[in-house]
Amino acid sequence: MTRSRVGGFVLLLGLLAAPALAAAPPESSPVVVQRITIDGVIGPATARFILRALHEAEEQNVEALVIQLDTPGGLLKSTDDMTKAILNARMPVVVYIAPRGARAASAGVFITYAAHIAAMAPATHMGAATPVAISTGQEGERQPDRAMMEKVTSDAVANIRAMARRHGRNADWAEEAVRKAVSITEDEAVKLNVVNFVAEDLTDLLRKLDGRTVETDRGSRTLRTARARVVDFDMDITERFLALLSDPNIGFILMNIGILGILVELYNPGAILPGVVGGIALILGLASFAILQVNVAGLLLIAFAILLFIADIKIPGHGILTVGGVVSFIFGAILLTERQAPVLQISIRLIIAVAALMAGFFFFAVSAGVRAQKAAPRSGGERLIGAVGVARSTLDPEGQVYVQGEMWSAEAVGGPIAEGQPVRVVGLDGLRVRVKPEPPRPS
């Protein structure tokens, strides 16, 4: 075969192979699964984090968003915001209750039911979704607690049953979790069709997700997660700050730091720093309680306690007012978050510790004030009263005396005093001291 024929043959093969090469799909991009971790109380910071993570996942067109969940519950408003965002997600959302020993209680049950796929790690549990907070945040008169509780519970039942029907899960158990606060283990959850499956770890989760088809706002989607690359998505600094403020214990500490700082500034005008720190801490503490929708009666009792503490400094009450302030402070702190779930209530140990510190601070202030009132004057000319000196000239009745290292104009009381005789200061008249003879000490 000549060289020209060989070249023509190669050219012919190239022309025949070109359509096939053009039709071949390009190398597929790596499959990415985004994971976020929720570990703690559900609040505004968590809701904001979920919304941002969903938006980022949609922008990056990830295969799925995995929410690794471990929560004791949280605020109803934040839970509603999160479940709405998950239900309207454009990509599959998977809730994975993990690691071992984790739980999805209260708000966690609603978040789990909102997900397209739900899974649990071994030795985990979920349930007890009965609403506790009955504050709706709406204007108008507050209805009786029982009626309000029934409304909130009925609304929660309707909500979770709707989510259960959407994803083909057990709606009856979900209602019992809300009405009767029942809980369930991971094996029971699979048997009762509460969750889809149990996964040992994240790798096992991705393997079991692979090939499953879910319905999203963009239609059906079959997951390809067996060899997916997992990318963790974390809270930013603002969300971490909001999460910190959502802790009632942190808010309680900040509020008391603010109160003490402002009081120190009031008793020491011009110190500046205590006032600045106290003002910032007090505002942050009140902002924390605004997030939690606290009981106003609790705030009023704490304010009354502070008034009693201050009054015991101004009015000689022998500590009785401070004791009353401590009692008012403890009751106010307990009432402050009593309408919230237990995970959103202030620790009773922290309440007692802070009350003891506040009482100690004001008891010290009261005792210091009493000591100051009883102590002899230590400044100005009044410090001379009672001091012993010596006459440096004859006092008949006026002359000079030497007292505490200084020369003073003096006036004799009760008769003349000879030069060199010991004298005792008995009074002060402007810049002149009044003295009387000091009897000689027995030898």
Side-chain angles (χ1 to χ4, degrees):
M1 184 178 292
T2 64
R3 183 177 296 178
S4 61
R5 289 182 178 179
V6 172
F9 182 69
V10 172
L11 178 61
L12 179 62
L13 288 177
L15 292 173
L16 292 174
L21 292 173
E27 183 179 353
S28 59
S29 59
V31 177
V32 175
V33 169
Q34 182 172 292
R35 178 178 65 171
I36 64 174
T37 300
I38 297 177
D39 181 8
V41 176
I42 302 299
T46 320
R48 178 176 172 177
F49 178 42
I50 285 284
L51 294 175
R52 189 169 64 89
L54 287 170
H55 177 74
E56 183 69 18
E58 291 174 358
E59 290 290 324
Q60 299 297 327
N61 194 28
V62 301
E63 188 69 11
L65 174 66
V66 175
I67 302 175
Q68 185 170 310
L69 184 64
D70 181 9
T71 178
L75 297 175
L76 291 175
K77 177 64 170 61
S78 300
T79 303
D80 288 342
D81 292 341
M82 293 171 66
T83 55
K84 288 176 185 177
I86 294 172
L87 289 170
N88 291 283
R90 298 180 181 179
M91 89 291 296
V93 177
V94 180
V95 166
Y96 180 39
I97 303 171
R100 296 173 188 266
R103 58 175 170 168
S106 189
V109 177
F110 289 85
I111 296 169
T112 303
Y113 263 80
H116 298 94
I117 297 177
M120 299 174 71
T124 56
H125 64 281
M126 65 181 294
T130 302
V132 176
I134 60 175
S135 175
T136 63
Q138 297 178 353
E139 296 181 357
E141 296 183 359
R142 178 181 294 275
Q143 299 184 40
D145 289 354
R146 184 183 299 274
M148 180 61 73
M149 198 62 177
E150 290 178 357
K151 284 188 175 184
V152 173
T153 301
S154 297
D155 180 72
V157 167
N159 185 24
I160 202 166
R161 289 191 71 94
M163 291 188 290
R165 287 194 299 269
R166 178 182 176 87
H167 298 307
R169 298 204 189 101
N170 191 328
D172 292 335
W173 181 88
E175 181 172 349
E176 287 189 355
V178 175
R179 293 193 182 278
K180 301 179 181 180
V182 298
S183 296
I184 196 171
T185 64
E186 78 281 1
D187 291 331
E188 295 170 332
V190 174
K191 290 178 182 179
L192 295 177
N193 191 30
V194 174
V195 299
N196 298 93
F197 55 83
V198 175
E200 292 287 335
D201 51 29
L202 185 61
T203 302
D204 189 35
L205 174 72
L206 297 180
R207 182 179 61 80
K208 291 181 177 180
L209 287 174
D210 191 61
R212 290 179 178 265
T213 301
V214 298
E215 293 291 333
T216 68
D217 277 357
R218 292 182 176 179
S220 298
R221 184 165 175 175
T222 301
L223 292 169
R224 299 175 296 115
T225 58
R227 299 181 179 179
R229 179 169 63 92
V230 178
V231 176
D232 287 320
F233 189 78
D234 298 322
M235 281 187 171
D236 61 24
I237 188 170
T238 59
E239 290 158 352
R240 293 180 187 277
F241 178 69
L242 285 175
L244 191 65
L245 282 186
S246 299
D247 186 337
N249 296 301
I250 298 297
F252 185 64
I253 293 172
L254 286 171
M255 184 184 69
N256 285 284
I257 290 175
I259 292 171
L260 289 176
I262 291 174
L263 289 176
V264 170
E265 180 67 28
L266 291 175
Y267 282 97
N268 297 274
I272 299 177
L273 182 60
V276 172
V277 173
I280 294 174
L282 182 60
I283 292 172
L284 290 177
L286 293 177
S288 175
F289 291 135
I291 292 174
L292 298 173
Q293 297 178 349
V294 298
N295 191 335
V296 177
L299 282 176
L300 293 177
L301 280 172
I302 291 176
F304 181 63
I306 302 303
L307 291 177
L308 290 177
F309 289 149
I310 297 174
D312 208 2
I313 297 176
K314 300 292 186 181
I315 304 171
H318 305 289
I320 297 176
L321 294 176
T322 297
V323 173
V326 170
V327 174
S328 178
F329 185 88
I330 292 176
F331 285 150
I334 293 173
L335 289 176
L336 206 57
T337 54
E338 57 90 20
R339 294 188 181 276
Q340 297 294 345
V343 295
L344 293 173
Q345 293 179 359
I346 302 172
S347 167
I348 188 65
R349 292 182 179 180
L350 177 63
I351 292 173
I352 294 174
V354 173
L357 288 174
M358 295 285 284
F361 173 82
F362 283 100
F363 266 127
F364 174 79
V366 170
S367 60
V370 171
R371 287 196 303 270
Q373 291 175 1
K374 292 182 178 180
R378 297 179 178 271
S379 62
E382 292 182 353
R383 76 183 188 278
L384 298 174
I385 297 177
V388 176
V390 62
R392 287 298 176 88
S393 66
T394 301
L395 279 68
D396 189 19
E398 297 179 355
Q400 300 288 322
V401 296
Y402 186 79
V403 182
Q404 292 188 349
E406 295 179 335
M407 293 293 295
W408 288 86
S409 296
E411 179 182 354
V413 176
I417 299 175
E419 180 179 357
Q421 185 175 349
V423 296
R424 179 178 293 275
V425 179
V426 295
L428 181 66
D429 185 10
L431 296 178
R432 175 177 296 179
V433 295
R434 294 195 299 273
V435 297
K436 67 179 181 179
E438 176 72 3
R441 296 180 181 178
S443 56

